[in-house]
């Protein structure tokens, strides 16, 4: 046990929290700030929750907090967790405990027992950097696993053995990758290797939990504005063979290469998750042009209800964005179709392409301007003919109007015909006759 008083550490503790700690101490207990808040203080970082813990049971702390006039309520009786709110301040108190897990990485302990031994509580935690306990009243730090040393060397390492940490909770593998990327830490070699061996535990984690953690990982370097660690999260995903266990065996040995990495890491935070799906799908399809049906099938299979359970609206955005992305980057039957699709996509998608593929984005804008100067329509509204014109002027059958407008738009796009009313009316009459003849022949 390493038990040291760090006089140089500057942990900001509010008067309200000190008042709570004194009241708990008066009742025979001790209160500690634990985990990321202590770690970040040693690193000179802000921006994480202040979690507290101690040897008094949650019900006693609940009573003490309420007697002080604080707003407190039990969050999880089984885990001994109480949420304490004091104005704008919020603290989650957890009673010291020990846990037992069954085989499998389901992220939920089978047995929980409350204890008064701080070292037993420390032994259930994941990484040495997160296992520091700061005594609010004495200023002392309890460090049982050389966490201070690892923080100073910017190393993320499992407490005890990696096998014990990962075998009890598969989600800790994703948490490890996120924390390392957030802090710019390197992952200890033994810890990283063990994560690869226990990656199969991720198969036991629900799609919702995996997706939630994945979305945090993709933007993790923004949390503290860190630069990439020795291995960024894409490298760690590749090394650990993550995709096989968060999707299925079709992704065994699947890796994301370097082709769009610079583009991806240059993206602002709000575009990162879309950019991630773009590079993943590009790699999955081998940087080749595929049908919209293939894109739809892959996205619904791996991101839908049988996969990560992403919201359907988000999946549809991914499908439409990737469809246009591949048209732009990997070629299609016509670049003009890509220009037209780009012209008609919403402003958020345009902003994404401007950030992700700025060179191609500028080329598309240039192409749009050229086509519009030549009076080539890029949407139905720009056709020099309306539905009423088709019905009244060209005598088109009502049920044929949508097909005919689509054909006229493409013919104008490829400059097979000019975008003038008389030309469009004449062509519409001809197409209508062909459609009707085809229908009669089918009968």
């Amino acid at each position: 046990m390493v038990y040291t008083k760090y006089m140089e550490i500057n942990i900001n503790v509010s008067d309200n929290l000190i008042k709570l700690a004194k009241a708990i101490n008066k009742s025979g207990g001790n209160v500690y700030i634990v985990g990321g808040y202590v770690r970040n203080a040693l690193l000179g970082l802000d921006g994480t929750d202040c979690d507290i813990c101690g040897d008094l049971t949650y019900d006693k702390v609940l009573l003490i907090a309420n007697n002080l006039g604080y707003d407190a309520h039990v969050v999880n009786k089984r885990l001994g967790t109480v949420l304490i709110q004091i104005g704008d301040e919020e603290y989650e108190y957890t009673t010291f405990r020990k846990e037992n897990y069954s085989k499998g990485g389901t992220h939920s302990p089978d047995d929980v027992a409350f204890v008064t031994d701080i070292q037993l509580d420390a032994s259930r935690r994941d990484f040495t950097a997160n296992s520091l306990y700061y005594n609010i009243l004495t200023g002392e730090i309890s460090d049982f696993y050389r966490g201070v040393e690892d923080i100073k060397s910017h190393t993320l390492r499992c407490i005890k053995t990696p096998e014990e940490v990962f075998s009890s909770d598969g989600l800790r593998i994703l948490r490890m990758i996120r924390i390392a990327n957030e802090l710019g830490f390197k992952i200890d070699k033994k810890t990283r290797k063990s994560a690869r061996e226990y990656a199969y535990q991720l198969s036991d984690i629900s799609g919702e939990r995996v997706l939630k953690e994945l979305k945090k990982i993709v933007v993790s370097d923004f949390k503290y504005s860190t630069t990439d660690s020795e291995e960024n999260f894409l490298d760690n995903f590749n090394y650990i063979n993550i995709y096989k266990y968060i999707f299925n065996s079709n992704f065994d040995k699947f890796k994301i290469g370097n082709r769009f990495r610079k583009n991806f890491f240059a993206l602002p935070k709000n575009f990162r998750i879309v950019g991630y799906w773009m590079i993943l799908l590009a790699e999955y399809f081998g940087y080749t042009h595929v049908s919209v049906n293939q894109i739809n099938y892959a996205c619904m299979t791996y991101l839908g209800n049988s996969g990560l359970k992403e919201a359907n609206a988000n999946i549809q955005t991914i499908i439409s964005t990737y469809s246009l992305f591949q048209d732009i980057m990997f070629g299609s039957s016509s670049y003009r179709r890509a220009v037209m699709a780009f012209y008609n996509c919403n402003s958020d998608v345009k902003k994404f392409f401007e950030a992700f593929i700025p060179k191609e984005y500028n080329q598309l804008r240039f192409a749009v301007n050229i086509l519009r100067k030549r009076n080539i329509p890029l949407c139905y509204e720009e056709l020099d003919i309306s539905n009423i014109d088709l019905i009244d002027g060209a005598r088109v059958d009502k049920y044929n109007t949508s097909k005919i407008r689509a054909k006229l738009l493409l013919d104008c796009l490829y400059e097979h015909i000019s975008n003038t009313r008389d030309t469009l009316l004449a062509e519409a009459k001809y197409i209508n006759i062909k459609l009707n003849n085809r229908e009669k022949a089918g009968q």
Side-chain angles (χ1 to χ4, degrees):
M1 168 179 169
V2 180
Y3 193 74
T4 315
K5 187 168 184 176
Y6 287 86
M7 300 304 296
E8 74 275 10
I9 189 171
N10 181 25
I11 293 186
N12 183 28
V13 182
S14 75
D15 292 339
N16 289 321
L17 187 52
I18 292 172
K19 185 178 178 181
L20 175 65
K22 286 180 177 178
I24 290 174
N25 186 257
K26 191 174 180 181
S27 296
N30 290 298
V31 184
Y32 300 84
I33 298 174
V34 65
Y37 197 85
V38 185
R39 176 201 69 209
N40 283 13
L42 286 167
L43 289 167
L45 299 174
D46 296 319
T48 190
D49 296 333
C50 184
D51 293 327
I52 58 177
C53 62
D55 44 12
L56 287 191
T57 56
Y58 69 92
D59 51 341
K60 291 180 181 179
V61 172
L62 178 67
L63 182 61
I64 292 168
N66 285 329
N67 286 339
L68 289 173
Y70 299 161
D71 180 14
H73 63 274
V74 177
V75 175
N76 191 318
K77 187 181 292 188
R78 182 170 178 261
L79 298 180
T81 306
V82 176
L83 184 66
I84 303 168
Q85 294 173 302
I86 317 166
D88 295 334
E89 300 172 35
E90 186 173 281
Y91 305 99
E92 197 168 84
Y93 174 90
T94 305
T95 304
F96 290 160
R97 67 178 189 263
K98 62 178 181 178
E99 300 169 341
N100 290 312
Y101 290 80
S102 59
K103 289 185 177 181
T106 56
H107 189 57
S108 181
D110 290 337
D111 300 306
V112 175
F114 299 130
V115 297
T116 57
D117 186 341
I118 186 174
Q119 189 166 357
L120 272 177
D121 189 73
S123 69
R124 70 178 178 82
R125 299 188 180 273
D126 47 14
F127 306 108
T128 61
N130 295 334
S131 64
L132 303 178
Y133 293 72
Y134 176 81
N135 190 308
I136 293 171
L137 298 183
T138 68
E140 293 173 321
I141 291 179
S142 296
D143 179 6
F144 303 97
Y145 297 102
R146 302 172 71 91
V148 171
E149 184 178 310
D150 283 340
I151 288 171
K152 288 181 176 179
S153 66
H154 285 205
T155 302
L156 197 65
R157 187 193 318 273
C158 285
I159 63 168
K160 300 183 294 184
T161 67
E163 291 77 13
E164 289 177 272
V165 171
F166 296 133
S167 64
S168 62
D169 184 353
L171 202 64
R172 283 174 169 168
I173 293 171
L174 294 182
R175 178 174 159 82
M176 172 196 73
I177 294 170
R178 172 173 58 82
I179 292 171
N181 216 61
E182 284 177 352
L183 300 171
F185 277 25
K186 65 180 181 293
I187 299 173
D188 163 67
K189 287 183 179 180
K190 186 178 179 182
T191 296
R192 193 168 181 247
K193 183 180 178 182
S194 182
R196 182 169 63 178
E197 293 170 0
Y198 283 89
Y200 68 87
Q201 301 268 66
L202 286 165
S203 301
D204 296 330
I205 307 296
S206 69
E208 295 96 331
R209 283 183 178 273
V210 170
L211 181 62
K212 184 178 179 181
E213 194 66 38
L214 182 63
K215 288 183 176 181
K216 291 179 183 178
I217 291 171
V218 167
V219 297
S220 52
D221 54 312
F222 286 96
K223 186 162 186 177
Y224 305 116
S225 300
T226 54
T227 55
D228 291 337
S229 58
E230 255 183 49
E231 319 93 11
N232 62 47
F233 82 88
L234 291 174
D235 293 321
N236 282 318
F237 275 13
N238 289 347
Y239 174 81
I240 295 170
N241 202 17
I242 287 288
Y243 302 101
K244 176 181 178 180
Y245 303 108
I246 65 174
F247 295 127
N248 64 31
S249 57
N250 291 339
F251 285 81
D252 189 24
K253 309 301 180 185
F254 176 86
K255 294 182 179 181
I256 289 180
N258 295 320
R259 185 162 177 180
F260 292 108
R261 281 204 187 192
K262 287 184 178 178
N263 306 57
F264 170 76
F265 283 113
L267 284 172
K269 184 177 181 180
N270 59 316
F271 288 141
R272 272 287 183 85
I273 189 63
V274 178
Y276 176 69
W277 297 129
M278 295 303 103
I279 61 174
L280 189 147
L281 287 167
E283 192 74 52
Y284 178 74
F285 290 120
Y287 302 98
T288 60
H289 195 277
V290 297
S291 71
V292 175
N293 285 341
Q294 288 174 283
I295 300 169
N296 186 78
Y297 177 81
C299 289
M300 295 307 297
T301 299
Y302 302 119
L303 303 183
N305 290 333
S306 59
L308 297 186
K309 296 179 172 58
E310 175 63 279
N312 191 59
N314 292 341
I315 295 175
Q316 294 307 316
T317 297
I318 294 165
I319 292 169
S320 59
T321 305
Y322 185 75
S323 180
L324 178 53
F325 173 72
Q326 68 158 9
D327 283 352
I328 297 166
M329 300 305 300
F330 312 133
S332 65
S333 57
S334 170
Y335 183 70
R336 288 195 180 193
R337 280 206 184 199
V339 173
M340 183 169 69
F342 169 78
Y343 179 73
N344 287 287
C345 69
N346 66 47
S347 59
D348 286 340
V349 174
K350 285 189 175 75
K351 288 176 183 175
F352 166 74
F353 284 125
E354 183 179 14
F356 190 49
I357 45 173
K359 178 183 175 182
E360 290 77 8
Y361 169 83
N362 288 327
Q363 290 171 346
L364 287 165
R365 286 187 62 197
F366 180 75
V368 165
N369 291 334
I370 293 296
L371 293 177
R372 297 198 74 198
K373 285 178 181 178
R374 292 164 62 175
N375 192 34
I376 296 174
L378 295 173
C379 62
Y380 292 124
E381 290 74 19
E382 293 177 358
L383 280 171
D384 193 20
I385 197 170
S386 66
N387 274 349
I388 294 174
D389 291 330
L390 288 174
I391 295 169
D392 293 343
R395 301 299 179 186
V396 165
D397 299 305
K398 288 183 180 180
Y399 54 82
N400 283 338
T401 55
S402 60
K403 292 180 182 178
I404 290 173
R405 279 169 66 82
K407 183 69 167 60
L408 292 174
L409 182 61
L410 287 178
D411 284 346
C412 287
L413 180 68
Y414 297 133
E415 298 186 83
H416 296 155
I417 59 174
S418 61
N419 184 28
T420 59
R421 186 174 183 278
D422 289 343
T423 301
L424 294 172
L425 283 173
E427 185 67 16
K429 289 178 184 178
Y430 174 68
I431 298 171
N432 188 60
I433 292 170
K434 284 183 68 176
L435 289 172
N436 288 336
N437 289 340
R438 191 177 302 163
E439 185 178 337
K440 288 176 183 178
Q443 292 177 349

